Amino acid sequence: MKEKAYINIFSKFKGIEGDLIPILLNIQEKFGYISLEAIKYTSRFLKISENQIFGVATFYPKFRFTEPGKKSIKVCMGTACHVRGGQFLSETVGWKLGISIGQVTADKRFDFQRATCLGCCTLGPVVQINEDIHSRMIVTRLKEILEEHD
Amino acid sequence: MISLEEKRKEALRKWELLENNNIPIIYLGTATCGRAAGAMNVLDTVRKTLKENKLKAKIIQVGCIGPCYLEPLLDVKLPGHPRISYASVNPEKAKLIIESCLIEENPLPNLAAGYFGKNGQESTNGIPKFFDLPMLKPQVRLVLRNCGFIDPENIDHYLANSGYDGLINAFKMGPEKVIAEVKEAGLRGRGGAGFPTYKKWEICRNSPGSVKYMICNVSEGDPGAFMNRSLIESDPHCVLEGLLIASYAIGANHGYVYINADYHLAIARLKKAAGRMKECGLLGKNILNSGFDFDVTIKEGAGAFVCGEETAQIGAIEGKRGMPRSRPPFPAVSGLHDKPTIINNVETLGTIPNILRNGAAWYRQFGVQGNYGTKTFSLVGSVRRGGLIEVSLGIKMRQIIFDIGGGTWKPFKGVQTGGPSGGCLSEEFLDIPVEYEAMTAAGSIMGSGGLIVMDEDTCVVDLALYFLNFTQKESCGKCVPCRVGTWQMVNILERIVKGRSEPEDLSKLQILAETVQRASLCGLGQTAPNPVLTTLRYFRSEYLAHVKEKYCQSAVCKELVVYEIDSDKCNGCQLCVNVCPTDAIKGAKAELHSIDLYRCIKCKACYEVCRYDPLAGNAIVIRSKRNVA
């Protein structure tokens, strides 16, 4: 079943070394993270050692190796958001949910990541929850939104 | 396959129909910034309103026109009337506008932001011209000329606006003359370094070998910069046309667009645009009977700021870790797969079609000696009118911040240019011209175009720490000065903002910063200390206050501030008591509250409630105290 999904992804590529990052991106999009199993399959397909794949994958901040939570919270850490008090928002998520950046809550409901820049700097500070972007956020409003999602 | 000429005739006819429309046209800006502000909800409402009232209208989704602070922008063009723009539209407002404009033919002048007059169509009801608005008047739009006006997913719109004319001219001139024209125009790399574009191309063209590569660099990693994303989302064809021309000039038959995988909309639009180009014979074999073959691959990258560096980007495209290597050999001689490779920034490529279409002499009328043309900036931070702007080079910084941006809310403190590689400039530098040399002389860089305006509420030490934290995380770890040096600088700065620093920390920081600057391998390390060096130079008093008096003037550094309640203003509303996550605030209804500083985690929740809630008295203050030893 799962193997089929991988074969499906691999069928779009030629199997050269340059395909490694796009393949990993595809896998992450499909499964949400890069599992050990995914690296094994990719290694077989590209004929590159698992070690080398790990080396490349861990270099890029986009890849994650643990299962994501159901709802993803991304706090923008861009300069414009920082200047307007973005770090208070990430702290709010911290004390509200008890997790720090890169962690998942124990019940796997929330997933907390930082974003380098979400591309809407004039609306800062912004927080993205799933696909919704909440602009011009303040601590109290974020607290309310997190309670709504709970 | 129909020829490009026929296709263009058809496109012009369709464009003419849009200009002289017989049914209303509704334009909506749906680039990333518009979507973030809620443009998709507005779009749904517009569709619903049209359906409910059985109205006929054409909806066109356009890109970003620039003034992001007005998003979402909704424009209505009634038959025989100019296109009128409405700002900050929400679903309720959209319904009102659509019903009023389309049913009652009342353009609601109070709500309108401006109109776009063409063909002598004059203003109605005292609505100003959109391009006469203070934010847009000082701007010169060359690269952004189509942004917000054409449907980025429709090649016809681009063709009707003299799209691919530059390419046709290039084919007529031949590669050597194209390079000569770009040389004559004086175009310099818009990625930040300002290296003459023609020189790179010449080196690559003269490099031996038949296989060459062309790469468009969309690895826009600067936090706080979105120019390239907006340009691609609003006008993907102009970048692809530039890519084609550049590849023709250097003799490359394969091009890559290296783009961050997080740019979903931009990637989708690029892919769509490349598909349309294939249909029109603009990609593939023997393009427009010129004998030139070209194909493009959209290569998604997985982040990493350092991948904006040329050699690191080549590594990333090859499927390796994106680590820079020492140069020479330069990529123009030996790059991707060891073949001559040119990497150009998005904006550089977006400018090329303009130069080839209108000629070098035309291009040289913009800008100043040695710095010709225009540059796009993302003007953000504590500025009233933020957004994507394009100005002639040589403009004064003061004009950008105060005329276009409308100044700051609180007194102006400084401006940060060039992202994590740039520097902070204080008020005395507001009158320097914005050009490569002058910016470098001031200790900053032009950079790719992020301008972050700071007012009194921004602490420069905190900002320097923020940037250094960023570069420290993004450092690839290959060379010691960058890997260890940035780490040590972060440690010192952290001590400073936490009030645990020693007086000699400042000189240590200075020496360390200069070492990292001189000894690092690539641009990331060499420029990483810039934020520290410039702030040490221009805002030294703030550093000294942090070190000696443990005092943060802007009341930003958490460990140096306390939360207090102003006993004159507190009305005992208990709002802060309810909002405090640690029960640090005590007080009965209608009595003076007090904060237990041992429990307070300084989360800012009480401050916001007290300040923004109409029932509260704005009594909570965040204050830093001078600690004179």
Side-chain angles (χ1 to χ4, degrees), chain B residues 59-99:
Chain B
I59 301 174
I60 300 178
Q61 292 187 41
V62 292
C64 173
I65 205 162
C68 300
Y69 77 107
L70 293 175
E71 297 277 11
L73 281 162
L74 173 82
D75 300 7
V76 180
K77 186 174 186 304
L78 295 174
H81 287 278
R83 172 176 161 183
I84 297 171
S85 191
Y86 301 89
S88 311
V89 177
N90 51 22
E92 294 82 52
K93 217 164 150 187
K95 194 171 152 67
L96 176 76
I97 292 167
I98 298 297
E99 287 179 348

Side-chain angles (χ1 to χ4, degrees), chain B residues 154-173:
Chain B
N154 190 341
I155 194 171
D156 287 346
H157 284 200
Y158 186 63
L159 282 172
N161 286 286
S162 28
Y164 294 103
D165 273 2
L167 183 69
I168 294 166
N169 284 351
F171 284 155
K172 276 184 206 151
M173 289 157 85

Side-chain angles (χ1 to χ4, degrees), chain B residues 441-462:
Chain B
S444 184
I445 57 165
M446 178 81 108
S448 58
L451 281 184
I452 288 113
V453 181
M454 305 181 285
D455 64 8
E456 273 188 346
D457 279 348
T458 315
C459 171
V460 290
V461 185
D462 175 71

